[in-house]
């Protein structure tokens, strides 16, 4: 892991590099010097960090940018990057209204508890963005534009059109926020990057029944390595055992005791 101030960089697996932008991760999928795709776009102040790693590793813009979902911390650099790179953006069909200015996300819910990150969540941006014609729906066949060997799977709950990416050859998973590896509600856990298999960030998750089904599905795919939207990469038994535990005890481990998005 390379530490670079507010960012960390990980060689997660062959053809997978993760970059932490303060408290959210983006993924670079592709082999050094070749074509590649960017998964998510991090926080707005980190466009330079993303461009720098892209130049050093690939020497060219990505073929496409794929969004696991459109929350503010996953699209922050998007406008700047597509203006410079002129590359297409893809997201799930159900996520497009939040990316074309038609809908806003619900505001963060501070009542879920867990720490300062949850308490200040109503202050986080929740308005949709308008990418216009720059964004398109992902192919319905599950293929990932520009990333041979990868497929996308619909993992709703955190947002309606949330997706995760899976590479069957080595069971590598880009999970987005379907599950994460840090207690994102706690500022202390985020600063320390304390690793634990955790449900999606509670303050922004609005459909807990769907979120549970998504985690159960991902656990059933038996990933061997995962890069999530928040927290450190995880692999091996630490991933398989803990993810199975989360799937089997999701209500006890992930769902908050109270909150305005609980049905």
């Amino acid at each position: 892991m390379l530490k670079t101030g507010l960012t960390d960089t990980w060689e997660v697996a062959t053809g997978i590099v993760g970059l932490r932008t303060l408290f959210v991760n983006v993924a670079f999928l592709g082999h050094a010097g070749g074509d590649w795709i960017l998964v998510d776009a991090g926080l707005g102040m980190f466009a330079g960090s993303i461009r720098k790693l892209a130049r050093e590793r690939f020497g060219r813009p990505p073929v496409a940018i794929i969004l696991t979902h459109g929350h503010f911390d996953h699209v922050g650099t998007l406008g700047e990057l597509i203006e410079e790179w002129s590359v297409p953006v893809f997201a799930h069909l159900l996520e497009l209204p939040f990316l074309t200015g038609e809908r806003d996300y619900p505001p963060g819910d501070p009542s879920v508890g867990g720490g300062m990150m949850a308490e200040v969540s109503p202050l986080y941006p929740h308005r949709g963005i308008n990418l216009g014609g720059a964004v398109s729906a992902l192919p319905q066949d599950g293929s990932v534009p520009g990333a041979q060997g990868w497929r996308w799977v619909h993992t709703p709950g955190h947002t309606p059109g949330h997706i995760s990416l899976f590479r069957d050859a080595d069971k590598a998973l880009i999970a987005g926020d379907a599950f994460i590896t840090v207690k994102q509600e706690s500022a202390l856990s985020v600063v320390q990057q304390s690793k634990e298999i955790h449900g999606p960030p509670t303050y922004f998750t609005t459909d807990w029944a769907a979120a549970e089904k998504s985690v159960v599905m991902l656990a059933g795919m038996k990933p061997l390595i995962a890069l999530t939207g928040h927290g450190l990469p995880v692999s091996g038994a630490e991933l398989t055992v803990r993810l199975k535990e989360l799937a089997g005890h999701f209500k006890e481990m992930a769902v908050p005791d109270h909150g305005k998005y609980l049905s």
Side-chain angles (χ1 to χ4, degrees):
M1 181 172 67
L2 302 175
K3 291 188 178 297
T4 57
L6 298 177
T7 64
D8 291 337
T9 305
W10 310 284
E11 292 275 353
V12 178
T14 301
I16 307 174
V17 173
L19 173 68
R20 179 178 64 86
T21 65
L22 191 59
F23 63 79
V24 62
N25 303 325
V26 302
F28 299 70
L29 306 186
H31 297 287
D35 288 340
W36 64 286
I37 66 168
L38 179 68
V39 182
D40 288 340
L43 289 168
M45 67 186 81
F46 290 95
S49 300
I50 293 172
R51 291 195 301 262
K52 181 176 184 292
L53 183 55
R55 287 194 303 269
E56 293 174 349
R57 185 171 180 85
F58 304 103
R60 66 186 74 183
V63 175
I65 299 174
I66 310 297
L67 298 178
T68 62
H69 62 298
H71 279 156
F72 80 101
D73 51 342
H74 293 258
V75 301
T77 68
L78 200 52
E80 188 173 345
L81 292 179
I82 61 177
E83 182 178 356
E84 178 173 339
W85 285 340
S86 298
V87 297
V89 179
F90 294 93
H92 192 278
L93 180 65
L94 294 178
E95 206 73 4
L96 292 187
F98 305 101
L99 301 168
T100 55
E102 298 174 39
R103 292 186 61 187
D104 295 330
Y105 291 105
D109 179 6
S111 69
V112 294
M116 185 182 298
M117 297 289 282
E119 290 175 7
V120 301
S121 62
L123 302 178
Y124 302 152
H126 66 94
R127 303 294 185 189
I129 61 174
N130 190 357
L131 298 175
V135 63
S136 302
L138 283 159
Q140 293 185 0
D141 63 3
S143 61
V144 179
Q148 187 174 2
W150 288 88
R151 59 187 172 99
W152 66 265
V153 291
H154 188 203
T155 48
H158 187 57
T159 69
H162 189 287
I163 65 158
S164 303
L165 306 182
F166 193 71
R167 187 168 65 182
D168 290 278
D170 60 354
K171 294 186 177 296
L173 174 68
I174 308 297
D177 286 0
F179 70 91
I180 55 178
T181 60
V182 67
K183 185 178 180 180
Q184 189 62 25
E185 298 79 17
S186 166
L188 181 61
S189 294
V190 170
V191 169
Q192 295 178 340
Q193 289 292 281
S194 305
K195 189 191 292 186
E196 64 175 271
I197 301 296
H198 196 279
T202 55
Y203 48 81
F204 267 165
T205 300
T206 54
D207 187 337
W208 285 101
E212 180 177 10
K213 291 178 182 178
S214 293
V215 167
V216 169
M217 179 183 67
L218 291 177
M221 295 165 68
K222 299 181 179 179
L224 297 179
I225 189 164
L227 177 66
T228 64
H230 304 272
L232 298 170
V234 62
S235 61
E238 183 180 16
L239 171 61
T240 55
V241 171
R242 296 305 182 191
L243 183 56
K244 182 178 180 181
E245 181 182 14
L246 177 64
H249 303 277
F250 188 83
K251 291 182 178 65
E252 298 89 341
M253 295 178 63
V255 180
D257 294 332
H258 50 267
K260 63 182 180 181
Y261 300 128
L262 289 172
S263 57

